[in-house]
């Protein structure tokens, strides 16, 4: 049996637990339709106990998939089980995109690329600053720290309620990353050009502390990787204070593109209709 993209219909998956919330099938379904590609992209609920067997079936070809995405809680397990995680993902210890090639499962993490592509699209020039502030030191902040560092930003302050977690990330990502307690915020804000929220603050409707964004550099950008709601309480505060804001939905859309290109052989475009499709879905599910 051979594997030619021209003659065979390719199938891809997203595996998570739970997976109902995943919008990836909508995104990839949109691109498959738009580009007229006769492939498929399906959601699979896979428990943590069943994940190793799922990966085995992907690797052997038994599952019929040429690759897929993994989401919470499988990103670390997929990294550990993949045959060929790339260099980027080795620093993160987590992957979200897998593909079969030469009988091996290759893997990468596209969250950082999604993050930068979103800012490139919606706030061009965002990287022309010396200092960035990242709120949060959870799983989601890692790819963001790596991406911001790799774009050349010289000083990256990671502020977290639990400073020890921020310190672990500073140790992992090198001397440009500085761990700080949340209380250091007023001090590090002065002259900063980029503010990124990676915490779940405000998602549950709980109140968010008041943040004074006015000491930031002129033209500074404030972004949130949370996209429900689209305008998070932190973005709302920043907008009122006259900052440029970028919501997190574009990160979700852009992180999907490299996987699609691998599995289906065409580079998809993140366009306004796709964005609207996801916004409509968010409204429907509210
Ligand atoms: P994820 O993998 O999605 O980033 P996580 O690992 O649970 O999720 O991390 C959530 C982040 O939000 C953490 O930085 C967390 O701070 P702690 O490391 O101190 O737990 C932060 N966070 C969540 N709720 C918070 C709150 N009420 N105040 C401040 N930080 C909060």
């Amino acid at each position: 049996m051979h594997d030619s993209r021209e003659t065979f219909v390719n199938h891809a998956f997203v595996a998570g637990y739970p997976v109902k919330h995943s919008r990836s099938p909508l995104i990839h379904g949109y691109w498959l339709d738009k580009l007229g590609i006769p492939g498929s992209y399906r959601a699979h609920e896979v428990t943590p106990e069943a994940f190793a067997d799922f990966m085995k079936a992907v690797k052997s070809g038994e599952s019929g998939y040429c690759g897929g995405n993994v989401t919470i809680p499988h990103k670390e397990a997929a990294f550990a089980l993949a045959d060929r995680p790339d260099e980027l993902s080795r620093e993160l210890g987590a992957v979200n995109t897998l593909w079969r090639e030469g009988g091996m499962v290759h893997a990468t993490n596209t969250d950082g690329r999604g993050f930068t592509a979103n800012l490139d699209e919606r706030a061009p020039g965002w990287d022309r600053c010396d200092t960035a502030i990242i709120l949060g030191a959870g799983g989601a902040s890692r790819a963001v720290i790596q991406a911001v560092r790799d774009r050349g930003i010289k000083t990256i302050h990671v502020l977290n309620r639990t400073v020890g977690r921020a310190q672990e990330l500073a140790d992992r990502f090198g001397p440009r990353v500085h761990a700080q307690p949340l209380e250091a915020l007023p001090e590090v804000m002065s002259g900063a050009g980029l503010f990124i929220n990676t915490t779940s603050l405000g998602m549950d409707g709980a109140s968010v502390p008041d943040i004074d964004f006015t000491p930031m550099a002129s033209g500074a950008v404030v972004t949130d990787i949370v996209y429900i709601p689209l305008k998070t309480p932190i973005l709302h505060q920043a907008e009122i204070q006259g900052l440029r804001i970028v919501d997190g939905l574009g990160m979700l859309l852009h992180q999907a593109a490299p996987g699609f290109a691998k599995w289906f052989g065409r580079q998809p475009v993140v366009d306004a209709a796709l964005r609207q499709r996801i916004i409509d879905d968010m409204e429907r599910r509210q």
Side-chain angles (χ1 to χ4, degrees):
M1 195 171 121
H2 74 109
D3 208 13
S4 158
R5 296 224 158 122
E6 283 76 45
T7 39
F8 283 86
V9 175
N10 281 340
H11 302 286
F13 64 84
V14 54
Y17 187 72
V19 79
K20 271 205 315 283
H21 67 279
S22 174
R23 292 185 167 86
S24 296
L26 263 184
I27 299 170
H28 292 286
Y30 173 85
W31 285 329
L32 286 169
D33 281 354
K34 180 150 187 170
L35 295 168
I37 295 172
S40 76
Y41 184 95
R42 286 187 214 121
H44 270 278
E45 189 150 273
V46 182
T47 64
E49 298 73 40
F51 189 69
D53 284 342
F54 181 83
M55 283 288 282
K56 232 184 254 169
V58 170
K59 180 175 172 167
S60 67
E62 198 185 304
S63 68
Y65 288 121
C66 63
N69 289 123
V70 291
T71 184
I72 291 167
H74 301 315
K75 291 183 177 188
E76 285 84 9
F79 169 77
L81 293 166
D83 303 299
R84 293 273 185 276
D86 67 357
E87 201 182 326
L88 198 78
S89 64
R90 286 203 296 274
E91 190 181 32
L92 295 170
V95 297
N96 68 348
T97 302
L98 310 171
W99 65 99
R100 289 181 73 229
E101 206 175 296
M104 307 262 192
V105 176
H106 292 246
T108 190
N109 193 312
T110 65
D111 286 334
R113 272 171 279 175
F115 176 79
T116 52
N118 185 33
L119 287 183
D120 286 340
E121 182 192 324
R122 301 185 93 82
W126 64 271
D127 53 349
R128 274 187 244 118
C129 67
D130 289 334
T131 305
I133 296 170
I134 300 180
L135 210 58
S141 86
R142 294 177 181 209
V144 171
I145 296 172
Q146 185 189 51
V148 166
R149 182 201 61 192
D150 291 351
R151 277 300 271 264
I153 296 191
K154 292 197 194 92
T155 304
I156 301 162
H157 293 292
V158 177
L159 284 75
N160 201 44
R161 180 175 58 182
T162 315
V163 189
R165 291 186 87 189
Q167 189 57 52
E168 275 170 33
L169 300 187
D171 296 342
R172 181 185 288 245
F173 293 105
R176 282 193 270 145
V177 180
H178 305 274
Q180 309 278 5
L182 289 181
E183 296 70 39
L185 190 58
E187 192 187 315
V188 296
M189 274 298 220
S190 179
L194 180 63
F195 181 101
I196 307 149
N197 177 47
T198 72
T199 72
S200 45
L201 266 175
M203 258 185 99
D204 50 4
S207 67
V208 170
D210 288 337
I211 300 177
D212 181 10
F213 292 100
T214 55
M216 293 186 79
S218 94
V221 175
V222 177
T223 186
D224 203 318
I225 69 166
V226 170
Y227 59 90
I228 302 175
L230 218 43
K231 197 176 285 176
T232 63
I234 286 177
L235 291 181
H236 185 66
Q237 286 192 36
E239 186 176 48
I240 289 172
Q241 294 175 43
L243 280 286
R244 280 201 288 171
I245 62 166
V246 178
D247 66 59
L249 180 53
M251 176 177 172
L252 171 77
L253 305 177
H254 284 284
Q255 64 76 33
F260 187 94
K262 282 269 180 226
W263 312 316
F264 302 115
R266 300 272 300 277
Q267 192 60 49
V269 174
V270 171
D271 60 18
L274 174 59
R275 187 177 156 86
Q276 194 54 50
R277 180 184 267 216
I278 304 301
I279 292 172
D280 291 346
D281 181 64
M282 280 159 55
E283 281 168 3
R284 248 197 318 274
R285 293 201 207 187
Q286 246 169 23

